[in-house]
Amino acid sequence: MIKGGPKKDLQAKHIQSILISQPKPETEKSPYFELAKKFNVKLDFYPFIRVEGLSAKDFRKQKIDIQNFTAVIFTSRNAVDHFFRICEEMKIKVSQDCKYFCITEAIALYLQKFILYRKRKVFYGADGSTKSLLEVMNKHRDNEKFLFPSSDSQRKDIEEWLKANKCEYATATLYKTVSNDVKEVIEGTEYDMIVFFSPYGVKSLFENVPKFEQNGTRIGSFGPTTSAAVEEAGLRLDVKAPTPQAPSMVAALEQYLAAINKK
């Protein structure tokens, strides 16, 4: 059962346990484990959501010819994985001249798993925000046909920008996000903090525990859309990343734990 003390005690209460709503890192060298050791905090990992890819048969129903597009927009690693999976299943050869527009540098570098990485065809936003990605895309909007691979609940902001700027584009649903059963995890253990990494994780929380009350539980979030989902759900947001001072969730948690421990 996730619970906490009265709100006035939040700043005084040390964090002893954190629920990370992602799979446990595969390597023991993960900075999360260093964080746990440094602050003597218990970290539990449990994914609140899972991704299910659409089959090539279902993708064909969208009547989208991938080879007709000169640029692809990626806002997640899942989108990268399922784009190249569909291409492989359908035996589609992506042009060497295709450009890739990524919301973060990390996603841009992730493309090296699938393509020969060349800076002149891989672009990314300066600070990981949608605004910075759109600024980069704006320089190319008149010369490219954009394909936006996404989940069944794609980002509306990017699609609205493409439409408003009269770009040639199509959105391609390649995977769907499904809530995991986390009711037992949430109700069976006391955590001082929950950390979310996507709006779907927040949605999963309330699908599993519709009457969830935050009380003294701290909430962390990564990414602007996740932060917005946390606040739209009526939850108090305590730790936010990325920021100029904390580019990763681990860095944000480290700063917060250090501040709490001083009190």
Side-chain angles (χ1 to χ4, degrees):
M1 173 170 52
I2 292 183
K3 60 184 181 181
K7 187 173 182 179
K8 64 181 181 180
D9 293 332
L10 284 181
Q11 295 304 318
K13 184 180 177 184
H14 285 199
I15 301 291
Q16 297 177 318
S17 59
I18 302 175
L19 177 59
I20 306 292
S21 61
Q22 282 191 326
K24 185 176 181 179
E26 296 179 358
T27 172
E28 291 299 321
K29 294 182 180 180
S30 167
Y32 277 109
F33 298 127
E34 296 175 13
L35 182 78
K37 185 177 180 180
K38 180 177 179 178
F39 292 96
N40 192 28
V41 62
K42 178 189 177 192
L43 293 184
D44 283 347
F45 297 86
Y46 198 94
F48 278 35
I49 57 174
R50 68 182 186 275
V51 171
E52 296 181 354
L54 265 66
S55 66
K57 179 181 178 181
D58 286 336
F59 173 71
R60 287 190 182 95
K61 294 177 183 178
Q62 299 177 55
K63 297 182 179 179
I64 293 174
D65 185 349
I66 290 175
Q67 292 178 310
N68 279 344
F69 297 87
T70 61
V72 186
I73 305 165
F74 288 126
T75 57
S76 72
R77 291 187 179 188
N78 282 324
V80 176
D81 287 336
H82 288 285
F83 172 76
F84 287 101
R85 174 187 61 81
I86 284 289
C87 288
E88 184 177 355
E89 289 181 10
M90 297 179 66
K91 295 180 170 54
I92 294 172
K93 187 174 181 180
V94 182
S95 170
Q96 293 288 328
D97 296 323
C98 183
K99 294 185 175 67
Y100 300 94
F101 294 86
C102 306
I103 196 164
T104 64
E105 182 181 8
I107 293 173
L109 293 173
Y110 186 68
L111 280 171
Q112 293 178 103
K113 286 183 62 176
F114 304 95
I115 66 167
L116 182 62
Y117 189 94
R118 297 203 307 274
K119 288 187 176 181
R120 64 185 176 87
K121 71 172 186 176
V122 179
F123 308 88
Y124 53 86
D127 60 8
S129 68
T130 302
K131 180 182 177 182
S132 64
L133 171 62
L134 295 178
E135 287 173 354
V136 174
M137 289 171 54
N138 191 51
K139 300 174 184 178
H140 301 265
R141 69 182 191 187
D142 296 330
N143 301 316
E144 307 296 341
K145 292 180 65 176
F146 295 96
L147 181 65
F148 182 26
S150 64
S151 71
D152 52 337
S153 301
Q154 75 267 15
R155 300 171 65 111
K156 298 296 183 183
D157 47 1
I158 292 176
E159 190 173 9
E160 288 171 358
W161 183 89
L162 290 165
K163 189 180 297 183
N165 285 277
K166 296 182 171 56
C167 298
E168 288 192 75
Y169 78 96
T171 55
T173 300
L174 302 183
Y175 60 98
K176 57 184 179 179
T177 305
V178 181
S179 294
N180 276 333
D181 184 355
V182 297
K183 184 176 181 180
E184 185 176 338
V185 175
I186 294 170
E187 295 187 336
T189 309
E190 291 187 10
Y191 291 102
D192 298 315
M193 178 183 286
I194 315 174
V195 180
F196 294 102
F197 295 85
S198 83
Y200 309 112
V202 180
K203 180 182 177 183
S204 176
L205 170 65
F206 286 98
E207 286 183 350
N208 280 273
V209 187
K211 296 182 179 180
F212 173 81
E213 293 184 6
Q214 183 175 4
N215 296 322
T217 305
R218 263 60 67 92
I219 299 292
S221 71
F222 186 83
T225 57
T226 309
S227 297
V230 167
E231 293 172 339
E232 286 169 9
L235 300 175
R236 183 191 61 259
L237 182 57
D238 301 285
V239 183
K240 187 177 180 179
T243 67
Q245 297 76 26
S248 69
M249 196 69 239
V250 171
L253 288 172
E254 183 171 9
Q255 290 180 10
Y256 186 78
L257 292 172
I260 288 292
N261 287 349
K262 287 180 180 179
K263 296 182 182 294

